[in-house]
Structure formats: structure tokens, C-alpha cells
Amino acid sequence: MDRYAYAFLAGGRRRVVESAVVALTEQGVLSLRATRLRSTGEAQSTHAVEHAVIAACPRSKRVEEVIDTVGRSQPLDDLARQLVCLGLLSGRRQRTTRAGRRLLAAAASEGSLPRHVLDGPAVLVTDPVRHGLLSATSIPDGLGRTLRRMGKALDDDHSSSTDRAPGGGIGCGGSSGGD
């Protein structure tokens, strides 16, 4: 089992691609600026996932596009199939099995893997790689995008200062009558 198999068990396809991006930027093969990846050199590793990441960004590409492309690639399908055959991943929904969770717990207690493989890019020190991976979120197409925009618009309406009462509460628009 290599680090990408552990990454798959810990966080699925996205974690595998994020781990490959971290490894390749540490090697100097990829450059990550803001949310764009660019290939800067030749891979020193022969791992299929790393080659798929490099192939996905021959020029500058958005991180989310690379994650989506490589997440549906043949190397990740092969890795998932291998983990299913080992009984570490369920076949249909690709969820980590009890045996897979035990293996992850053993790897975590052993401390032989980089933390970002098991816990994701949030554990990386503050640098462009962490920022680029964490800020790369896709907006869903169609209805999802519309609903997200509507939610933001409603949040903006409710947080405006015109609805606030002088005492800091929310005004109701009525007046209190007195005797």
C-alpha cells in the first residue's frame, strides 16, 4: 500500500489528487499560484496518479478542474478496484470498510505517512499550496449554482443595517402604544 491508497481510504478520490498535488509541488514538478496549477518540470516518480495530475495540467489549469479530471481518470479507477479487491473499500459506494478503517488507524498511530494524506490539506502549514487547495471549490452547474446565488442574496438582505433597531435588535416595524 502506498500513500495514495491510504489517501483514498481517508478521503476518497479528491484526497488522492490533493496528495499528488502536494507531493508534486514539493518536488518542484508543479507550481501552484492562487488556484491555478502549472507543470514546471518532469516527474521523478513513476506513479500513475502523479502522471495523471501532470497530464491534466500541461498549461495553467484551475485546481478544481485538475481534481475533477484526475478524479475520474483510469489510475484512480484502478486504485479503487485494487482497494475493493483487498476488502478495504466497499464496491458500490466506495466507502471505507471496517478493515480499511483499522488500517488507517494503524497508519495514523505509526506516523509513517505525511499528515495531509490522512487529514487533508487543512493540516499543511500556511503556504500557497494549502491556500490553493482549500480555496479551490467548484460551483455546481444549473440549479445548484442558482440556489447558491439565491442563498447569498438572501444572506445579504438579512444582514443589512436598515433592518436593525436602534437598540441593536431586529426592528419589527411596529410601534408600541402606551396608555
Side-chain angles (χ1 to χ4, degrees):
M1 297 257 308
D2 61 6
R3 75 169 67 186
Y4 299 118
Y6 284 104
F8 202 114
L9 293 174
R13 292 174 181 263
R14 182 178 186 96
R15 181 75 50 83
V16 174
V17 181
E18 290 172 345
S19 295
V21 167
V22 170
L24 291 169
T25 53
E26 287 175 351
Q27 294 174 18
V29 177
L30 288 180
S31 170
L32 178 58
R33 300 199 184 227
T35 59
R36 302 204 55 94
L37 276 171
R38 185 174 55 89
S39 178
T40 59
E42 196 64 34
Q44 300 163 351
S45 173
T46 59
H47 201 281
V49 173
E50 292 178 356
H51 284 292
V53 170
I54 294 168
C57 54
R59 295 182 214 45
S60 180
K61 282 267 184 143
R62 286 187 19 239
V63 173
E64 196 60 41
E65 288 178 49
V66 173
I67 290 172
D68 289 343
T69 301
V70 178
R72 294 186 307 265
S73 69
Q74 188 64 44
L76 262 72
D77 290 342
D78 293 343
L79 180 59
R81 195 173 304 111
Q82 176 188 8
L83 293 171
V84 167
C85 289
L86 292 172
L88 303 173
L89 201 64
S90 68
R92 199 177 94 228
R93 297 185 73 199
Q94 295 188 345
R95 304 267 187 204
T96 307
T97 64
R98 182 175 293 146
R101 289 190 295 274
R102 280 194 303 261
L103 189 64
L104 279 174
S109 66
E110 201 175 279
S112 61
L113 293 170
R115 282 192 56 213
H116 66 85
V117 170
L118 299 175
D119 300 326
V123 298
L124 295 171
V125 294
T126 305
D127 65 354
V129 176
R130 178 181 190 269
H131 174 43
L133 288 173
L134 290 178
S135 62
T137 57
S138 64
I139 296 176
D141 292 335
L143 181 61
R145 179 180 291 192
T146 303
L147 291 173
R148 190 176 221 183
R149 287 182 180 157
M150 288 172 59
K152 287 183 180 179
L154 288 173
D155 285 345
D156 290 343
D157 287 345
H158 289 292
S159 65
S160 67
S161 61
T162 58
D163 291 340
R164 302 248 181 242
I170 302 295
C172 296
S175 63
S176 61
D179 287 322

